[in-house]
Amino acid sequence: MILAGDIGGTKTNLALYTYKDGALEIQVQHQFVSQKYQNFSDVIEEFISSYKIENIEAVCLGIAGPIINGVCKTTNLPWTIDSKELQIVCNTSKVKLLNDLEATAYGMLYLNEDEFVDVNPNGKKVDANRAVIAAGTGLGEAILFYNGENYYPIGSEGGHCDFAAQNSLQDELLVWMRKRHPEHVSVERLVSGIGIYTIYEFLKEKNFAKESKIMLELNESDDKNAMVTKCALEGDTLCTKAIKIFVEIYGAEAGNLALKSLSLGGVYIGGGIAPKILPFLLDGNFLNAFAAKGRFQETLINMQIKISLNQNTALLGSAHFAVDKVR
């Protein structure tokens, strides 16, 4: 049995797989609301006891946070996850912790072509490094390093790098953000779930357009980020502009990652936000911002850019990594 996990600030997905004749087959999968638990050990113990799981051969978890010496202090949760403690709980010495984007990157290698949407139809297929970027609760970034034969995932915390404005309106946004976060304005502050509503608030304060009735009547308990997205898809002026700025910043940061990793093999977009805003990602603004890198514009405009529609990519990556590298 292979125990795989995708652990994020909003939800935690755990699944049990069998591996036979070169194929993984899922046996059990359960989603937990991460913020309901004080620590991860409660989650894993509940999963094991609820489904009476025994004989776990290997464990691989993709976690939203840096992995240092087999330990992860999660970025958006008060959890510390230790591989040595998991060895005891799961009764196996074969435990591996990955950054969640390492897991997502590895999972991309196992998706079918019909699980992707092309952002750049003119992109060229090349066997070379690939970049992976995913906006969700936070902003994750990773690299698939190609050694000439195989791909190896490399995690990063690139989402916490500085936000770089690309035009005069974004200059104003950066100044506005510095008042909220005087110590550091990361790109994740804007390219993430909470970033969508943050950009909306900026435009509202600028009096860019009049707020719609539905946005004015939102309650504190409402998902404001989701509502901005919904209203943008329905043509609301203020919400549409917020999503367009979000997409431009997302595209520019994807281009930054592509340059840093020299991802001639393409860029994969994961995370929960991209499938929800597909029309805005495909209208040209993302690609234009992605490729606007001066002397390297031609290099970037020839890269493949693919959006994953499979929301279990990280879970799949963790399971395959367990089989290929841990088991």
Side-chain angles (χ1 to χ4, degrees):
M1 291 288 191
I2 303 294
L3 176 58
D6 173 21
I7 300 163
T10 303
K11 59 184 183 294
T12 292
N13 282 314
L14 296 178
L16 196 68
Y17 294 82
T18 54
Y19 184 71
K20 187 177 181 181
D21 298 328
L24 281 166
E25 184 176 333
I26 195 164
Q27 301 299 309
V28 172
Q29 182 176 348
H30 191 92
Q31 184 177 105
F32 299 84
V33 178
S34 301
Q35 295 172 355
K36 286 187 176 181
Y37 296 83
Q38 291 297 313
N39 53 70
F40 179 68
S41 61
D42 291 340
V43 179
I44 196 92
E45 288 172 4
E46 182 178 322
F47 182 70
I48 290 173
S49 63
S50 295
Y51 294 99
K52 298 179 173 56
I53 297 170
E54 298 178 348
N55 302 319
I56 298 173
E57 184 180 1
V59 178
C60 184
L61 306 176
I63 310 170
I67 314 299
I68 301 174
N69 297 324
V71 179
C72 178
K73 293 185 178 181
T74 55
T75 305
N76 296 307
L77 289 168
W79 294 355
T80 297
I81 302 175
D82 190 323
S83 57
K84 290 182 179 178
E85 291 179 4
L86 286 173
Q87 289 177 355
I88 297 170
V89 174
C90 299
N91 194 29
T92 176
S93 62
K94 298 175 182 178
V95 174
K96 178 68 175 178
L97 305 185
L98 300 175
N99 174 265
D100 61 332
L101 257 289
E102 283 184 280
T104 297
Y106 205 70
M108 294 288 187
L109 300 174
Y110 291 91
L111 298 186
N112 299 318
E113 280 302 312
D114 62 4
E115 294 179 276
F116 292 109
V117 173
D118 278 328
V119 176
N120 185 14
N122 297 318
K124 295 174 180 161
K125 186 175 182 180
V126 179
D127 290 327
N129 290 351
R130 298 174 182 176
V132 182
I133 188 166
T137 304
L139 178 66
E141 300 183 3
I143 300 165
L144 280 167
F145 167 69
Y146 186 64
N147 71 350
E149 295 181 1
N150 298 299
Y151 285 96
Y152 295 88
I154 301 173
S156 85
E157 289 298 328
H160 298 281
C161 289
D162 306 330
F163 163 56
Q166 303 299 307
N167 53 48
S168 58
L169 183 58
Q170 289 183 25
D171 287 338
E172 292 181 47
L173 173 59
L174 178 54
V175 171
W176 183 84
M177 287 293 291
R178 281 181 180 147
K179 294 175 182 177
R180 288 191 166 195
H181 307 285
E183 293 183 356
H184 181 230
V185 180
S186 68
V187 67
E188 183 182 79
R189 296 284 189 189
L190 296 165
V191 185
S192 60
I194 197 170
I196 291 174
Y197 189 69
T198 297
I199 296 170
Y200 176 88
E201 288 182 296
F202 160 71
L203 292 171
K204 181 177 68 173
E205 288 188 22
K206 267 185 62 67
N207 295 314
F208 177 83
K210 187 177 179 180
E211 274 197 284
S212 65
K213 186 173 183 289
I214 190 171
M215 292 301 297
L216 280 168
E217 293 177 350
L218 287 179
N219 297 315
E220 282 301 315
S221 59
D222 291 330
D223 187 338
K224 297 179 177 66
N225 310 299
M227 190 55 68
V228 172
T229 300
K230 179 179 182 294
C231 291
L233 292 168
E234 293 172 354
D236 177 276
T237 301
L238 194 56
C239 294
T240 297
K241 186 62 176 178
I243 295 294
K244 284 187 174 181
I245 293 173
F246 174 89
V247 166
E248 288 171 356
I249 299 171
Y250 201 171
E253 179 60 16
N256 291 339
L257 179 60
L259 286 179
K260 291 173 183 177
S261 58
L262 197 59
S263 57
L264 300 179
V267 176
Y268 289 124
I269 302 171
I273 294 176
K276 297 172 184 174
I277 60 169
L278 273 178
F280 292 100
L281 290 171
L282 300 177
D283 67 5
N285 285 326
F286 183 96
L287 183 57
N288 290 338
F290 173 84
K293 304 298 180 190
R295 290 169 289 175
F296 278 84
Q297 180 169 348
E298 185 176 352
T299 301
L300 269 68
I301 204 68
N302 286 313
M303 287 185 186
Q304 288 189 325
I305 306 174
K306 295 176 177 289
I307 299 171
S308 167
L309 300 179
N310 188 326
Q311 292 300 293
N312 285 323
T313 303
L315 193 64
L316 189 66
S318 295
H320 277 286
F321 196 93
V323 170
D324 298 342
K325 311 294 185 183
V326 182
R327 189 178 66 99

